[in-house]
Amino acid sequence: MSSRDEMQATVEAIVQPGKGILAADESSPTIAKRFASIGTESTEANRRAWRALLLGTPGVGEFISGVILYEETLGQATDDGVPLPKLAADQGIVPGIKVDAGKIALANAPGDEITQGLDGLGARLEGYRAQGARFAKWRAVYNVSASLPSRLAIEANADSLARYAAICQQQGVVPIVEPEVLMDGEHSIDRCAEVTEDVLHEVFHALHRHRVILELMLLKPNMVVPGKDCPEQATSEQVAARTVEVLRRTVPAAVPGIFFLSGGQSAAEATVNLDAMNRVGPHPWVLSFSYGRALQDPALKAWRGQLDNAARAQQALLWRARLNGAARDGRYEPSMEDEFAAEAR
Ligand code: 13P
């Protein structure tokens, strides 16, 4: 198979009806924070146990078509010696890998950040491919205030995202391009819409400049929502309308799929917002999920680092995945939340 055919096959495997992506690529500091919230230490053994639990959830492949892993996880195996990428692949889940090296302050742009990790990326991708990864992820973040992000940050991050995407495609790896306009702050939904439109416009301009094949990439954006501390919160219908409006203005129809991040929304909010968007279709692209916290949090709370809780945690993950699978097709009903509570009793 040519590398182009292989990337096409990867895209088709991920963009399936009723399915989305599990983001399980928390960096070491982030997973330590998540584990601290359940009183669990972030040791290599605990990270391995947690991610083996997630990927080994029976039936999860019915709703999850791809998983984003952290570099450490690519090299880990279950107690029985099954490599974790293989555990995912055996469930029909395409393994992917986070390849950025995190963010630092952007020089000469106070309050803005830039993502690093381009040096040596081509060689690293070759290694990740050999370990089973078929797609990659790079996250750029944008802090929001009345004056942030600056033009400089918008342009610099767009260029890095596009360079990363071009290098991925050169290596036969499908890039997920993730520009995240953060929810932190008091800003309004209007301000989030304005920034997200500026950011996506610039990202697609850069992708074009760098000759990235739009048909062979996926986008992972934020939804258009008010800041967490904004006094005026929005309904799911408002979030859906504003998000779709911005996407229609900025994302070419050639992009096969848009997989939202949850970004600090509760698990239920992330589901209902995705569902609302799929109810106002049809859209030129698939609208699905690539959730970290919104998929993992209920399972993490059930697990609490205890082997005895593994089955309950898997049940919680499977349930959230099922609900998001329904939202991916605009078939979610809030009453489904109660069914789980009844089942879990
Ligand atoms: P959240 O859904 O928790 O925002 O995580 C998704 C992700 O991959 C962030 O980079």
Side-chain angles (χ1 to χ4, degrees), residues 142-164:
Y142 305 86
N143 297 304
V144 180
S145 72
S147 56
L148 295 177
S150 66
R151 226 19 253 171
L152 179 61
I154 290 174
E155 289 176 12
N157 276 296
D159 212 60
S160 298
L161 278 166
R163 281 191 63 200
Y164 138 81

Side-chain angles (χ1 to χ4, degrees), residues 281-294:
H283 305 296
W285 350 258
V286 157
L287 294 184
S288 188
F289 58 91
S290 175
Y291 295 158
R293 284 162 283 180

Side-chain angles (χ1 to χ4, degrees), residues 23 25 34 68 98 137 139 178 180 220 260-264 290-294:
D25 59 323
R34 304 277 186 269
I68 315 174
K98 167 202 186 76
K137 183 196 100 169
R139 173 175 177 254
E178 181 180 4
E180 176 174 6
K220 174 166 175 165
F260 294 101
L261 58 94
S262 60
S290 175
Y291 295 158
R293 284 162 283 180

Side-chain angles (χ1 to χ4, degrees), residues 248-270:
R248 290 184 75 91
R249 289 176 179 176
T250 52
V251 184
V255 174
I258 298 178
F259 290 73
F260 294 101
L261 58 94
S262 60
Q265 297 179 41
S266 71
E269 278 166 351

Side-chain angles (χ1 to χ4, degrees), residues 185-250:
E186 294 181 357
H187 56 273
S188 66
I189 192 167
D190 289 344
R191 178 73 184 135
C192 179
E194 179 180 45
V195 172
T196 305
E197 186 171 335
D198 284 351
V199 163
L200 290 177
H201 186 89
E202 195 61 37
V203 165
F204 280 94
H205 185 48
L207 290 168
H208 176 73
R209 256 193 340 264
H210 287 264
R211 300 289 179 251
V212 172
I213 305 164
L214 298 184
E215 289 81 356
L216 299 178
M217 62 157 275
L218 299 168
L219 181 70
K220 174 166 175 165
N222 54 286
M223 295 182 196
V224 174
V225 291
K228 254 183 266 177
D229 301 324
C230 174
E232 208 175 319
Q233 288 300 311
T235 64
S236 56
E237 287 76 19
Q238 288 167 329
V239 170
R242 299 306 299 271
T243 305
V244 168
E245 180 181 59
V246 167
L247 295 174
R248 290 184 75 91
R249 289 176 179 176
T250 52

Side-chain angles (χ1 to χ4, degrees), residues 103-120:
K103 57 199 172 60
I104 51 166
L106 177 62
N108 298 326
D112 282 317
E113 294 174 294
I114 182 84
T115 302
Q116 46 184 5
L118 286 170
D119 285 0

